[in-house]
Amino acid sequence: MLEWFKAEGLKEIYPVKVYHDGPGVIRSKAKAMPIIKILEDHGYLSPIDPEDAPEIDGKIRKQAWRIVAYSVDEVLR
């Protein structure tokens, strides 16, 4: 998933984006959400407060994350 984020130049992500455009093996809620949780827990993603729901790809996204890092080296800085 991180490689896909980087290849696409993504700065923010939301579940539907992953389900529709992500790598084929993670295009379901059952597969994508646990990976998103792991990336959040390890500092790659930072949740965006639903009160500050951003407009991403033309719609307000109540569940979204900022991509903080694309690699371990970036997390450890």
Side-chain angles (χ1 to χ4, degrees), residues 6-65:
K6 188 173 184 175
E8 294 293 317
L10 299 173
K11 302 291 183 200
E12 299 168 319
I13 193 67
Y14 55 95
V16 173
K17 176 79 171 172
V18 177
Y19 309 156
H20 288 189
D21 301 330
V25 297
I26 59 168
R27 285 189 181 178
S28 71
K29 183 176 184 176
K31 292 182 180 179
M33 291 309 292
I35 295 169
I36 288 171
K37 177 70 173 134
I38 289 168
L39 294 176
E40 180 183 336
D41 290 348
H42 287 82
Y44 294 93
L45 302 177
S46 176
I48 299 172
D49 186 335
E51 296 294 319
D52 298 325
E55 183 176 318
I56 306 172
D57 296 337
K59 292 186 178 182
I60 299 296
R61 308 293 176 173
K62 295 215 179 249
Q63 187 176 31
W65 293 263

